[in-house]
Amino acid sequence: MARRIRLRYTGLVAFASKISSIFTGLAFLFFLTRNVTLESFGVWALVMVVVSYIIFPVSVTNYWVTRYVARGFKAAKTGLAINIALSLLGFVVSLLISPYIAKAVNADPAYFMVGSLIVPAWYLVLSLEAVARGCVPHVIGYGFVISEITKVVLGLIMIVYMKTGLYGAFVSLVIAFLVQAAFLVASLRGYVTEGNIDLNTAKKWLKMVWVPFYENLASLLLGLDVLIVTLLTFSSLPISLWRATLTFTTIVSYSTELASALYPKLLSGGSEQDVETSLKLVLMFAIPSTIGALLLAEPLLRILKREFVEAAIILRVNVLTILLTCVLGILN
């Protein structure tokens, strides 16, 4: 199938989808923080951190899927098959470690077990996004918007009206991921159905697993601080404050979506002009949003809950880090 990646259009669609999620994300977290305690919100954040580590292997497979698809190889089925197997394994691992992590923060293990359902759902979404990133990256933005709307609607029903607390939050997220996956499957049906599962290609990826693993190792190590602090304090409160600041620092990180088409564009034959265009677009939004977060840290955190205001200094440090990350992302 012909692949024509539109740099500016894809970047603007991705950025617009992330900007819209500012409102949907705030709404969902507003529902959650106003209906659970700070410690319970910390449990939510801890579950999401644990899940993010369990799904880490998907980044290894997806590294190759995007590169192969962008270069015209029929590798979507192979990548999906590997990731489905990994997702089932990750789900089992999540269930097995849930009681031990819950005990470390004196939380109900049931929260972590229900949260484990996020693993296969998130795996599926990330696998399909890897395919889309190599051929039609703009559909990722559309799928993200659909997921966010679904999450907010379900969150309103389950958290606010049905008073299901964290259980409702986890179920809302799982269903939102499944709806997003359904949309991506429909959008990529011409790509995910072509070709066959190639065992030789899978073996080649496994032999070269160190390449994407090495590339993503830094981010994996950087995220350990959250788990270390949580386990040292035996409390979910520190991670609760940290997660509240991420609500606003991610707004700055969304600027990188303006360069989302740069990677497949260069893989399929781009130019230096594409890099310059992407850098200008990213900085145009990243710098003003960073300044806004630095000046309005306290009022922003007060939106979620008054108790989160004490994390203002964390927000200011994080937002400066994210700005540097935005620039480094393009250089990488």
Side-chain angles (χ1 to χ4, degrees):
M1 298 183 67
R3 293 166 170 81
R4 180 173 175 270
I5 298 173
R6 300 158 63 184
L7 188 66
R8 286 188 179 87
Y9 176 75
T10 300
L12 289 172
V13 168
F15 182 66
S17 69
K18 296 296 184 179
I19 288 299
S20 67
S21 74
I22 293 174
F23 305 102
T24 55
L26 276 176
F28 185 80
L29 287 179
F30 181 82
F31 299 155
L32 187 58
T33 55
R34 293 305 175 99
N35 287 275
V36 300
T37 63
L38 289 184
E39 288 75 13
S40 293
F41 183 66
V43 170
W44 157 270
L46 182 57
V47 170
M48 296 307 297
V49 168
V50 172
V51 168
S52 69
Y53 273 93
I54 292 175
I55 67 169
F56 175 76
V58 77
S59 63
V60 175
T61 307
N62 287 353
Y63 174 88
W64 297 112
V65 171
T66 297
R67 292 176 68 87
Y68 272 58
V69 172
R71 289 170 172 168
F73 293 98
K74 299 176 181 180
K77 272 188 179 180
T78 303
L80 286 171
I82 294 174
N83 284 337
I84 288 174
L86 289 174
S87 70
L88 296 177
L89 177 62
F91 176 64
V92 173
V93 170
S94 183
L95 288 177
L96 292 176
I97 66 175
S98 290
Y100 303 100
I101 299 176
K103 184 178 180 180
V105 293
N106 296 315
D108 187 348
Y111 288 139
F112 291 85
M113 291 180 178
V114 174
S116 298
L117 294 172
I118 299 173
V119 173
W122 203 354
Y123 246 106
L124 182 58
V125 168
L126 292 176
S127 302
L128 293 167
E129 284 185 344
V131 177
R133 192 167 289 110
C135 51
V136 282
H138 61 275
V139 304
I140 297 175
Y142 298 146
F144 184 73
V145 170
I146 293 172
S147 173
E148 286 293 300
I149 294 174
T150 304
K151 182 177 70 176
V152 170
V153 172
L154 291 175
L156 179 63
I157 296 171
M158 302 191 72
I159 300 173
V160 179
Y161 291 108
M162 295 178 65
K163 302 294 182 183
T164 53
L166 290 186
Y167 296 113
F170 290 134
V171 172
S172 298
L173 191 57
V174 170
I175 295 176
F177 276 142
L178 293 177
V179 170
Q180 183 180 3
F183 170 80
L184 290 173
V185 168
S187 301
L188 298 168
R189 56 186 178 277
Y191 297 96
V192 297
T193 57
E194 63 180 355
N196 298 304
I197 298 175
D198 190 339
L199 295 179
N200 290 326
T201 298
K203 290 178 182 177
K204 184 177 180 180
W205 291 351
L206 291 175
K207 288 180 180 178
M208 297 293 290
V209 70
W210 65 271
V211 176
F213 180 78
Y214 177 73
E215 181 178 282
N216 292 282
L217 182 60
S219 60
L220 185 70
L221 295 176
L222 283 172
L224 285 175
D225 55 355
V226 178
L227 287 176
I228 292 172
V229 171
T230 302
L231 295 176
L232 286 177
T233 59
F234 299 101
S235 171
S236 59
L237 185 57
I239 195 175
S240 176
L241 298 174
W242 169 81
R243 183 60 182 83
T245 65
L246 285 190
T247 305
F248 303 101
T249 55
T250 50
I251 296 174
V252 180
S253 70
Y254 288 162
S255 302
T256 57
E257 295 299 324
L258 289 165
S260 60
L262 181 61
Y263 183 57
K265 182 76 172 180
L266 293 176
L267 283 174
S268 59
S271 66
E272 293 178 2
Q273 183 62 40
D274 294 325
V275 180
E276 183 179 344
T277 299
S278 296
L279 184 60
K280 287 179 179 179
L281 282 172
V282 169
L283 292 179
M284 186 189 306
F285 291 94
I287 293 176
S289 57
T290 298
I291 295 173
L294 290 172
L295 296 176
L296 302 172
E298 287 84 358
L300 289 173
L301 290 168
R302 193 175 288 113
I303 294 174
L304 297 177
K305 213 166 190 174
R306 184 178 298 275
E307 291 84 349
F308 287 135
V309 173
E310 62 181 285
I313 185 63
I314 303 175
L315 173 54
R316 291 190 172 99
V317 172
N318 278 347
V319 78
L320 291 174
T321 304
I322 294 297
L323 176 62
L324 293 175
T325 303
C326 289
V327 177
L328 289 173
I330 294 181
L331 299 180
N332 286 336

